[in-house]
Each structure stands twice: as structure tokens, then as C-alpha cells.
Amino acid sequence: MKRFVQKFLFAGVFLFVAVSCFAAGNKAVWSENYLQARKAAAAKKIPMLILFSGSDWCPPCMQLDKTILDTKEFAAYAGKGKFVLFKADFPRAVKKPAAIAQQNQQLMQIYRVQGVPTIILAGADGKEFARTGFIPVSAKKYIEHLEKLLKKAPKK
């Protein structure tokens, strides 16, 4: 009986991990902790893609998510280790933890963000080297746009 329970639990854990990996493979994984994102970017020696968004109230933000950032194409592209993804979100319907809300507000001031959506490409040191926003194009075209911006990254 003990072996049966162990096998059942193992199968359950395996299924959970498989489903989680599948879900992560279909969507890009965004950090909400700026310092962790910078550390990850430094460790991997890649830049950060910083998204400032109003995910539940800003029509261009929602369109950016739907047509580009939440697509399988973008998830596959981001999964190639081009950059570390960080999202500073300012939703109205969902309250963020106080530390995250304060961090995001400070980052909006530091990067002088005037409106959302704003995408900033920055080095692991946090220094901005490119800025863009929503462009009503396909995910493929947006990825090509990001590739052009990545060429502005400081040489290592």
C-alpha cells in the first residue's frame, strides 16, 4: 500500500510539473522583482526587457499582451535567452503587494516613464539603451523590432 501511495504521489507531482512546463512554454515568464531581474540579467550576461503596463485598464497594454507578449511566438523568442523579462504593472482591479507597488512607482520615476505601455531595454546595470511601446503589428514583426533595438545594447 505504501508503494502505491508513493507511486500515486510521484505520478501527481510529475503531471503537475509537466502541465506547468507546458504552460510556461506557451507564455513568457515575467519577474515582478526588479533586483532579482537585474541579478539574473547579470548572471546570464544579457539585458533586461522592462515592461511598464496597466494590464487591466489600458487598451494598448491589453492589446500588446494579447497580440504579442502572450503569444507562443513571443514565449519561444523570450525563451531563447535574449533578455530577462521584468514587468512593472499598475493594475486597478487587483491590488499589488505594497512593496511591489512602491518598487514599480519608483521605477516609473527613475526611468521617466510618461505613459503605458512603455518597454525599456536595459543592461544588467539598469542603464537604458532603447525604448519602445505598443506597435500594432504581428508578434513576428514585433520580435524583429526588438531585435533591431537589441543591436543598440552596449558591447560587452
Side-chain angles (χ1 to χ4, degrees):
M1 181 70 161
K2 186 176 179 181
R3 282 191 184 269
F4 174 76
V5 172
Q6 287 175 333
K7 286 180 182 180
F8 183 76
L9 287 174
F10 176 76
V13 170
F14 177 77
L15 181 62
F16 174 77
V17 170
V19 169
S20 298
C21 288
F22 177 75
N26 288 328
K27 268 192 161 185
V29 179
W30 295 83
S31 173
E32 287 192 321
N33 184 308
Y34 180 73
L35 293 178
Q36 285 180 352
R38 279 190 55 184
K39 286 178 185 178
K44 296 176 183 178
K45 298 182 178 161
I46 57 175
M48 294 187 302
L49 185 148
I50 303 169
L51 169 64
F52 289 88
S53 180
S55 64
D56 65 358
W57 58 268
C58 164
C61 299
M62 291 185 279
Q63 192 67 19
L64 176 64
D65 284 343
K66 181 180 176 183
T67 61
I68 298 164
L69 303 178
D70 288 345
T71 65
K72 291 178 185 177
E73 293 88 352
F74 185 80
Y77 172 69
K80 293 179 182 175
K82 295 284 186 173
F83 34 65
V84 171
L85 300 173
F86 169 78
K87 183 185 283 188
D89 195 13
F90 298 87
R92 292 183 178 162
V94 177
K95 189 170 183 172
K96 291 281 184 186
I100 297 292
Q102 182 180 10
Q103 164 201 261
N104 293 351
Q105 198 61 47
Q106 289 173 341
L107 290 170
M108 192 170 237
Q109 291 173 356
I110 290 167
Y111 285 106
R112 296 186 176 107
V113 173
Q114 299 296 314
V116 294
T118 297
I119 291 179
I120 294 173
L121 298 179
D125 58 2
K127 291 184 183 174
E128 177 182 341
F129 63 83
R131 180 180 292 231
T132 191
F134 174 62
I135 303 169
V137 296
S138 68
K140 181 181 177 189
K141 290 285 186 189
Y142 202 85
I143 289 166
E144 291 171 4
H145 172 63
L146 290 175
E147 280 296 306
K148 289 177 187 173
L149 295 177
L150 279 172
K151 291 179 182 173
K152 296 180 179 184
K155 302 300 177 213
K156 298 173 189 171

